[in-house]
Amino acid sequence: MTNTKQLLVIALVWPEPASTAAGVRMLQLLEVFKKQGYSITIASAASRSEYAADVELLGYHAQDIKMNDASFDVFVRDLNPSVVLFDRFLSEEQFGWRVAENCPNALRILDTEDLHSLRHVRELCFKKEIPFTTGAWLADDKTKREIASIYRCDLSLIISSYELELLTDVIKIDKSLLLLLPFMVDEITNDTKWNPFDERKDFIFIGGGKHAPNLDAVKYLKTTIWSQIHTQLPEAKLHIYGAYLPQQILEMNNPATGFLVHGRAVDVDEVMSSAKVCLAPLRFGAGIKGKLLSAMQNGTPSVTTTIGAEGMHGILEWNGYIEDDPSKFADAAVRLYSTEPEWQNTQKQGKTLINTLYAKSSLEHIFIDKINLLQKGLITHRIQNFTGALLQHQTMTATKFMSKWIEEKNRG
């Protein structure tokens, strides 16, 4: 008997949980659907890297698809999924209209991962050395594209409470179209397994090299912050880990100053749990930061910026310090590294954050309940989302025909 609970994931890239927080996030979402008895197919037009997760080994089906090609229409009609999950708005732009035409009854979900437009505009403002404003964000074309994608979908998963407020308060998107769903992790029940203060040493930074905010943070540590820390703690070292680090970052390795660039971490938990303090001086970006969540999971206090902690702790205390001034950032790092009672207290705050805001058990129920509710009332839900219906209609005469033009061009 054919399983009527079919999930199709349309991925811009194959998930790499060992390289990116986005890869970890995708596997978390797939696990939720798997527990609910869904048959899961992951489809992507991207080539698979050697670090991509072995999705078949995890019990999922993998399908290579082509962009701007009618072969996808045949594939998706035959699969006839009950739920389609787009891993970012670029995937929805490319394939959303084809899903809507060929599988109109499928629930369409967008996992924003973070608001790409917010990250993009913040980076532009940072490079121009001007303050970020919501006005600048609203004016950018990428924002319009991303918001249009959110409206065209039945539900968008928002990872950060700040971004949820931005969408509901500034754009005025109806809350029925959005669900706050951060990373979902196991509750911490036994923190006695964590390495204690006196068995840890050194500082750590982890961040993938394909992510501009991470590259800037490493440069910022190298040029401005680390020397201030190293002067006060000459025996301490800073370990830089990250997949796909470019040559310019690898060349920053300097054992004489304790600035050590390692590249990809074989085991993130192992290196994080042996470090005393995690540093994340992020000056632009969006979403919630996997490195900071990993620090909390491993009992490692952190020092970060307002951008780094944004949308991650609500009204709860941070598991360390939040400082935007580089000198204050360095002093906070030294204080946390050197003061055991303070370190232990902030470690406990990280445990509270995990168990209050990121507990898998409660978040999974919220997610599944929302899906079930939408599936039962999908027709009414779509009628009430008039803006989405309007954009879907316009998409049929814009994105669709651009895609068909490319298809014809490729055929010629």
Side-chain angles (χ1 to χ4, degrees):
M1 183 177 176
T2 303
N3 186 356
T4 56
K5 297 175 77 170
Q6 289 272 355
L7 169 69
L8 170 62
V9 177
I10 301 179
L12 192 70
V13 296
W14 295 96
E16 289 188 30
S19 306
T20 66
V24 174
R25 159 74 163 187
M26 178 51 70
L27 293 193
Q28 289 175 355
L29 293 176
L30 295 179
E31 184 65 24
V32 176
F33 282 100
K34 185 178 182 179
K35 287 180 182 177
Q36 295 299 311
Y38 278 79
S39 176
I40 298 170
T41 300
I42 305 168
S44 180
S47 57
R48 295 194 219 188
S49 80
E50 61 178 306
Y51 298 108
D54 189 338
V55 293
E56 290 99 334
L57 192 64
L58 295 171
Y60 311 134
H61 308 288
Q63 178 69 42
D64 293 312
I65 53 177
K66 295 179 181 179
M67 292 193 290
N68 305 306
D69 195 293
S71 61
F72 177 84
D73 301 348
V74 177
F75 157 69
V76 78
R77 272 199 307 270
D78 288 346
L79 185 66
N80 192 27
S82 48
V83 180
V84 177
L85 175 66
F86 303 98
D87 73 342
R88 40 177 72 75
F89 86 91
L90 294 169
S91 302
E92 190 280 333
E93 273 190 339
Q94 179 64 226
F95 294 100
W97 66 269
R98 292 184 183 274
V99 171
E101 274 198 347
N102 291 284
C103 303
N105 298 322
L107 181 69
R108 298 188 297 272
I109 302 175
L110 171 63
D111 182 34
T112 58
E113 293 186 352
D114 59 37
L115 288 180
H116 289 54
S117 57
L118 178 61
R119 173 157 37 100
H120 167 71
V121 174
R122 277 182 168 163
E123 183 176 356
L124 291 178
C125 291
F126 176 77
K127 288 180 176 178
K128 293 177 182 177
E129 298 183 345
I130 59 175
F132 167 80
T133 63
T134 53
W137 175 63
L138 290 170
D140 194 85
D141 286 347
K142 185 168 282 190
T143 305
K144 298 178 181 68
R145 289 169 56 195
E146 189 163 31
I147 298 304
S149 182
I150 288 172
Y151 271 114
R152 284 193 299 264
C153 289
D154 301 307
L155 180 67
S156 289
L157 308 179
I158 311 302
I159 206 164
S160 152
S161 59
Y162 172 82
E163 292 176 8
L164 182 68
E165 290 171 11
L166 202 59
L167 295 172
T168 54
D169 296 350
V170 178
I171 306 286
K172 307 296 183 187
I173 296 177
D174 193 280
K175 291 180 180 179
S176 66
L177 298 173
L178 308 171
L179 179 66
L180 178 63
L181 193 74
F183 289 114
M184 298 173 282
V185 300
D186 292 326
E187 288 187 61
I188 298 169
T189 55
N190 183 11
D191 54 14
T192 59
K193 294 181 179 179
W194 286 339
N195 293 329
F197 179 85
D198 56 6
E199 290 182 18
R200 295 177 181 238
K201 65 176 183 176
D202 299 339
F203 295 88
I204 189 171
F205 172 87
I206 295 185
K210 292 184 178 180
H211 198 51
N214 289 332
L215 299 183
D216 174 74
V218 175
K219 293 173 187 174
Y220 192 34
L221 282 165
K222 176 73 172 180
T223 61
T224 309
I225 296 174
W226 178 242
S227 61
Q228 298 183 57
I229 297 173
H230 191 58
T231 299
Q232 300 178 68
L233 299 169
E235 299 302 315
K237 297 177 176 62
L238 171 57
H239 300 272
I240 307 291
Y241 290 95
Y244 304 111
L245 293 180
Q247 189 63 28
Q248 60 170 316
I249 299 296
L250 296 174
E251 290 174 357
M252 290 180 181
N253 182 64
N254 188 345
T257 61
F259 196 94
L260 306 177
V261 182
H262 300 280
R264 182 184 292 272
V266 176
D267 187 328
V268 171
D269 290 328
E270 183 179 325
V271 295
M272 185 65 82
S273 63
S274 62
K276 191 169 280 187
V277 177
C278 174
L279 303 179
L282 298 160
R283 295 192 283 184
F284 57 91
I288 58 177
K289 316 306 180 295
K291 61 179 71 58
L292 294 172
L293 196 68
S294 174
M296 295 178 206
Q297 288 178 282
N298 286 284
T300 308
S302 63
V303 184
T304 189
T305 56
T306 303
I307 288 284
E310 179 184 87
M312 287 195 68
H313 61 107
I315 60 172
L316 299 175
E317 292 293 320
W318 187 247
N319 72 314
Y321 295 105
I322 301 169
E323 296 288 356
D324 293 320
D325 177 82
S327 295
K328 290 180 179 179
F329 187 101
D331 288 344
V334 171
R335 188 163 65 250
L336 198 52
Y337 192 91
S338 310
T339 315
E340 185 171 357
E342 206 160 337
W343 185 90
Q344 289 175 335
N345 184 53
T346 57
Q347 184 188 60
K348 290 175 184 174
Q349 288 165 192
K351 177 183 175 180
T352 300
L353 280 167
I354 290 286
N355 292 348
T356 306
L357 300 179
Y358 301 95
K360 182 197 298 184
S361 54
S362 58
L363 290 172
E364 284 181 345
H365 283 300
I366 291 168
F367 185 30
I368 290 300
D369 287 348
K370 182 69 173 180
I371 289 173
N372 292 338
L373 182 68
L374 287 174
Q375 286 178 322
K376 288 176 183 175
L378 191 56
I379 294 174
T380 303
H381 179 73
R382 287 179 175 171
I383 289 172
Q384 292 172 344
N385 178 20
F386 183 77
T387 302
L390 180 67
L391 288 166
Q392 196 68 258
H393 169 72
Q394 292 297 327
T395 299
M396 297 304 177
T397 59
T399 313
K400 170 182 176 179
F401 289 109
M402 174 59 78
S403 181
K404 284 190 170 293
W405 178 80
I406 293 172
E407 185 179 339
E408 287 301 320
K409 185 180 176 185
N410 290 342
R411 189 176 293 142

